Amino acid sequence: MQDNATTKTARLTIDGTDYELPMYSPTAGPDVVDIRKLYAQAQVFTYDPGFTSTAATDSSITFIDGDKGELLHRGYPIDQLAEKSHYLEVCYLLLYGALPTAEELEDFELRVTSHTMLHEQMMYLFRGFRRDAHPMAIMVGVVGAMSAFYHDSTDITDPWQREVASVRLVAKMPTIAAMAYKYSIGQPFVYPRNNLDYASNFLQMCFSVPAEDYEVNPILSRAMDRIFTLHADHEQNASTSTVRLASSSGANPFACIAAGIACLWGPAHGGANQAALEMLREIGTVDRIPEYIARAKDKNDPFRLMGFGHRVYKNFDPRAKVMKQSADEVLDLLGIHDNPTLQVAKELEKIATHDEYFIEKKLYPNVDFYSGIILDAMGFPTSMFTPIFAVARTVGWISQWKEMIEDPAMKIGRPRQLYCGASRRDYVDVENR
Ligand code: CMC
């Protein structure tokens, strides 16, 4: 960070004493004020619940300009990557920092595809769950349990083990998600096929059955790949920060990714894609939209329009633009034009993007508003939407984890607090309370 030091200094005055705080300039985005020595110098903490003004780390992986609606991975705009690249190439870019040469890509794809199978003993883990368990519950458990199966890649101090763990996680997540799905519908598990690309393999593990031949439709496979690409990384979001915090204690990567999956599950984060489609279905018909818009604006009603709004984007989510186009392609291919959920989605988008409340608060459709429509058309149940997000985001979590572990300045994350509880008081015996 010292290389980024600016000539600017922030000055803070507390009770008449001035404190000078160094400032840094990032490659892009706002300058940051370094408060690391503030407590030692002034005995005060800063207060920022929800991290609205706090850079928790420095990072070179992903950049978001929320006002412009721009998302860059290692400098490359997401719309270019979604159009010209594919998921495994983006994985390479995120993990290693540069676009691969043809040989590097071939080698990486080979390494990923040779790790797609799961330890056979893990089948029993799946069978221990109730059939009606949410696939995210299964994923949290099974990914955490990988540390019980892959002992040779849990030592985070060994760069080779870190590399093997990274490739294993990218390779095995689709297998785990597909198995969670198959288990929930009572069908036999389908093994990975390494002659298929990443997205096609996932589709065949989810939708093929041993009794019939299955051919992957290339347009659906492209749409699946795009969904993976658009969700690959998103800077220091809640689940990524969870992975970083969990890893900062030195915990093994499988346990840390399981923590990320748990955080992603919430409806304010990755769970929003499931919640958005369920909301569209609940609205049901276009004439009921005003009722839901009114509820979203009502301060006394906790209801929110799912798939709208973002902590960072105060403009159209760039991923949503690509996702919307992808939704049109998939629905066209499948001949779905008069689907009532789609009609509600289109009308809701139109009304909300013209409504004063949403304009003033800069609430635009986010990636989750459209992804559910595509996944639904492909035949996935809503419960699989968030597991698919988890499959895609795994590479982002791992890239951020690797970056953190490889940083010699890494420290355990240990936030402080504004304590508002009782002052010191003496214990009172039960008979005197
Ligand atoms: N519907 C109605 N009002 C909203 C919505 C919404 N979806 N989102 C924010 N607001 C209002 C909110 O009530 C608040 O109003 P006021 O200033 O009057 O109190 C204002 O907008 C700011 O909201 P906030 O909760 O302070 O903003 P935040 O940055 O903490 O929350 C968010 C961001 C994504 C959690 C929120 O917009 C939300 O809950 N959206 C719905 C869930 C969703 O779609 N999540 C997916 C995010 S994209 C995928 C991902 O990153 O995981």
Side-chain angles (χ1 to χ4, degrees):
M1 270 308 284
Q2 307 313 323
D3 294 349
N4 294 24
T6 63
T7 48
K8 287 189 243 169
T9 311
R11 189 159 289 113
L12 180 69
T13 307
I14 303 172
D15 284 342
T17 308
D18 275 350
Y19 299 93
E20 288 206 342
L21 303 165
M23 291 184 66
Y24 305 118
S25 273
T27 321
D31 287 351
V32 301
V33 177
D34 182 349
I35 55 162
R36 282 176 294 179
K37 298 210 170 96
L38 186 62
Y39 176 61
Q41 288 170 350
Q43 288 76 54
V44 294
F45 295 145
T46 56
Y47 179 62
D48 186 17
F51 298 102
T52 49
S53 300
T54 296
T57 182
D58 51 294
S59 178
S60 310
I61 302 174
T62 292
F63 172 71
I64 303 173
D65 185 327
D67 294 323
K68 271 206 249 164
E70 185 175 67
L71 167 62
L72 309 176
H73 291 322
R74 305 281 189 187
Y76 298 103
I78 190 65
D79 46 323
Q80 289 183 23
L81 294 173
E83 194 197 321
K84 298 182 181 171
S85 183
H86 58 89
Y87 182 66
L88 277 190
E89 186 175 66
V90 172
C91 289
Y92 186 100
L93 175 69
L94 291 168
L95 284 165
Y96 307 111
L99 286 170
T101 61
E103 296 85 71
E104 284 167 340
L105 182 60
E106 195 185 334
D107 172 65
F108 180 65
E109 287 180 341
L110 188 69
R111 280 192 287 137
V112 171
T113 46
S114 50
H115 280 284
T116 49
M117 283 174 64
L118 284 191
H119 191 294
E120 196 64 15
Q121 193 72 10
M122 291 184 88
M123 308 293 159
Y124 297 105
L125 258 185
F126 281 87
R127 296 200 167 101
F129 286 99
R130 279 171 56 143
R131 290 270 176 197
D132 59 356
H134 195 289
M136 282 300 273
I138 298 183
M139 296 208 39
V140 173
V142 172
V143 174
M146 283 175 79
S147 36
F149 287 88
Y150 300 104
H151 299 155
D152 59 347
S153 51
T154 51
D155 178 359
I156 63 157
T157 62
D158 178 346
W160 184 84
Q161 294 203 25
R162 289 202 298 268
E163 178 62 24
V164 176
S166 306
V167 172
R168 275 190 173 137
L169 277 157
V170 171
K172 294 185 200 302
M173 283 295 278
T175 315
I176 294 171
M179 285 172 68
Y181 173 52
K182 285 298 196 189
Y183 185 73
S184 72
I185 56 172
Q187 288 186 3
F189 297 135
V190 175
Y191 285 98
R193 293 273 310 276
N194 291 349
N195 59 333
L196 295 175
D197 64 78
Y198 194 86
S200 301
N201 178 44
F202 178 62
L203 290 175
Q204 79 86 24
M205 286 192 290
C206 288
F207 295 124
S208 74
V209 287
E212 283 171 20
D213 289 336
Y214 177 80
E215 214 169 296
V216 185
N217 182 316
I219 297 187
L220 295 189
S221 155
R222 177 78 191 124
M224 191 74 249
D225 189 86
R226 227 177 233 178
I227 289 178
F228 288 151
T229 301
L230 291 174
H231 287 89
D233 189 45
H234 213 223
E235 206 228 63
Q236 310 309 321
N237 56 80
S239 56
T240 301
S241 300
T242 301
V243 170
R244 278 188 181 259
L245 194 56
S247 320
S248 76
S249 71
N252 77 71
F254 305 111
C256 298
I257 300 301
I261 298 172
C263 177
L264 186 76
W265 195 356
H269 193 7
N273 52 14
Q274 170 169 355
L277 196 80
E278 285 167 359
M279 177 196 74
L280 293 174
R281 285 189 180 144
E282 187 188 310
I283 298 175
T285 48
V286 167
D287 58 302
R288 295 190 64 204
I289 294 176
E291 180 195 325
Y292 282 83
I293 297 265
R295 283 188 62 193
K297 293 179 189 176
D298 183 354
K299 280 246 162 282
N300 301 316
D301 189 330
F303 174 78
R304 286 187 168 201
L305 278 192
M306 299 314 286
F308 275 79
H310 199 276
R311 168 62 61 81
V312 184
Y313 294 121
K314 301 302 166 200
N315 200 324
F316 232 90
D317 178 340
R319 304 167 301 170
K321 281 191 196 158
V322 184
M323 201 66 94
K324 188 178 179 188
Q325 186 196 331
S326 224
D328 288 338
E329 278 170 26
V330 169
L331 296 172
D332 248 11
L333 171 84
L334 300 173
I336 303 173
H337 301 293
D338 51 1
N339 174 305
T341 314
L342 183 66
Q343 282 172 2
V344 172
K346 286 195 165 157
E347 195 56 27
L348 186 62
E349 182 203 313
K350 212 189 302 164
I351 295 175
T353 49
H354 288 85
D355 187 289
E356 204 39 56
Y357 173 92
F358 289 86
I359 294 170
E360 193 221 315
K361 295 193 187 300
K362 300 188 174 161
L363 301 170
Y364 292 86
N366 59 49
V367 69
D368 291 328
F369 189 64
Y370 302 103
S371 60
I373 293 170
I374 307 180
L375 293 172
D376 178 52
M378 282 177 165
F380 285 105
T382 50
S383 61
M384 275 303 288
F385 294 2
T386 318
I388 289 170
F389 192 159
V391 170
R393 183 54 57 84
T394 294
V395 73
W397 291 328
I398 298 167
S399 306
Q400 304 266 350
W401 164 77
K402 255 172 71 109
E403 181 177 67
M404 190 181 88
I405 302 284
E406 285 163 12
D407 181 353
M410 179 187 114
K411 265 175 178 269
I412 186 167
R414 178 48 169 102
R416 303 306 299 263
Q417 63 176 3
L418 169 64
Y419 176 66
C420 302
S423 311
R424 189 194 183 285
R425 48 184 168 169
D426 288 327
Y427 180 80
V428 181
D429 292 332
V430 69
E431 58 273 18
N432 296 325
R433 282 175 218 159

